[in-house]
Amino acid sequence: MPTSGVDRVYLTRHGRTALNADGRLRGLSDPPLDDVGKVEAKQLGEALAAFRPRVVISSPLQRAVSTAQAIGEAAHIGVEIDHRLNDRDYGPWTGQPRTQVEERFGSVDAAPGVEPADAVAARALAAFTELTREYHEGPLVLVSHDAFNTALLRMLNPALEGIEQRTACYNQITRDAAGWRVDYYDHKPR
């Protein structure tokens, strides 16, 4: 085990928004949490406070910031905003129903103007690597988005291809002598 630095990260997804509830691509749009999302964020904050995180770092989008603030409040710690945790850019398809985009192009990845999946994965891994080096004490809580989280988890463990990230879920990632490992994923507070 490392003797200093960050050795545990709780990677979280923001609470629900109206666009989530409608199955629409959110991307860089900035909807607020809906009433369900506010409750989810509070429950997530209470659950993560038990792990005694040192800092919460959030995507700049308000659904993530609101979730991060609920976590910070429950854990009595600060919240920092970092653009590196931003969601995938769905370009002109932002706000459109995911099913319609998939029907038209076969997949979201095939739709023109969407940030390529490989680019999201590279960006997510770079952000995670940089943040875990920049902060000297953990655990850290990172508040991001479905596309970012699933890409990062796949980069850390390729067997996690196709996993889900429900709203207000968290994933535990731990560093040991062999490197980073995903202990569990898509965990929801009870």
Side-chain angles (χ1 to χ4, degrees), residues 63-76:
R63 59 194 184 270
V65 172
S66 295
T67 302
Q69 289 170 335
I71 297 166
E73 183 177 302
H76 307 290

Side-chain angles (χ1 to χ4, degrees), residues 98-143:
R98 175 180 288 276
T99 55
Q100 288 182 8
V101 175
E102 290 171 342
E103 286 170 10
R104 182 169 176 190
F105 297 103
S107 73
V108 171
D109 294 328
V114 172
E115 181 180 9
D118 290 346
V120 176
R123 179 169 61 80
L125 184 60
F128 178 81
T129 301
E130 291 164 5
L131 288 166
T132 56
R133 287 183 181 154
E134 290 168 14
Y135 288 83
H136 301 288
E137 293 184 62
L140 299 180
V141 174
L142 305 181
V143 183

